[in-house]
Amino acid sequence: SSGINAEWSLRPGEYKSYLRITMDSNVVQQVAICAASALAGAVLTFFLTSRGRINRSIEKEKSKVCHNVDIEDLNKGTTAYCRCWKSSKFPYCDGSHSKFNNLTGDNVGPLLVNKKN
């Protein structure tokens, strides 16, 4: 026979019963494929919902995060602005994108604004 077979038995002279379950190799393969598919779906759902967010901590109480910088307030030289949303000095870059890039394989970097005299 094929599929899943169950055999219940009581051995003579014993008070214990035994359940023996056997499965065809096709059933084992199908169960493994279903389990792998379910796991892949759960992982994909996790990454597309919670991990898919770019901003996970900065000013979450606002409907939109927006910062204004007046040209007069820029330092002489170059100011680096964060584009990865991982900086602890947001909106300024603190180099957190390097760790993010290594972790994700991305290539995001800061926005560099130069003030010329």
Side-chain angles (χ1 to χ4, degrees), residues 84 95-103 108:
C84 73
S96 294
H97 58 273
S98 296
K99 181 179 177 184
F100 175 76
N101 289 344
N102 289 334
L103 183 67
V108 69

Side-chain angles (χ1 to χ4, degrees), residues 58-115:
I58 300 166
E59 299 179 19
K60 296 300 289 177
E61 69 282 357
K62 293 183 177 180
S63 61
K64 181 176 16 174
V65 179
C66 181
H67 294 96
N68 294 314
V69 178
D70 292 329
I71 292 175
E72 296 80 21
D73 294 337
L74 291 175
N75 298 326
K76 183 178 179 181
T78 302
T79 303
Y81 290 93
C82 177
R83 294 192 306 161
C84 73
W85 292 83
K86 308 297 179 194
S87 175
S88 62
K89 297 178 181 179
F90 194 87
Y92 301 101
C93 177
D94 69 356
S96 294
H97 58 273
S98 296
K99 181 179 177 184
F100 175 76
N101 289 344
N102 289 334
L103 183 67
T104 63
D106 208 343
N107 65 348
V108 69
L111 167 66
L112 300 176
V113 178
N114 298 309
K115 182 177 182 182

Side-chain angles (χ1 to χ4, degrees), residues 3-57:
I4 300 174
N5 298 309
E7 180 182 312
W8 192 277
S9 64
L10 179 63
R11 294 187 180 165
E14 294 184 13
Y15 295 103
K16 296 179 185 176
S17 59
Y18 297 91
L19 176 64
R20 182 176 143 180
I21 298 175
T22 59
M23 285 189 253
D24 188 340
S25 63
N26 289 335
V27 172
V28 173
Q29 185 179 19
Q30 291 169 354
V31 168
I33 290 170
C34 289
S37 298
L39 179 62
V43 169
L44 183 61
T45 300
F46 175 75
F47 279 102
L48 290 178
T49 55
S50 63
R51 305 259 317 176
R53 288 186 176 270
I54 294 172
N55 177 14
R56 289 197 234 154
S57 61

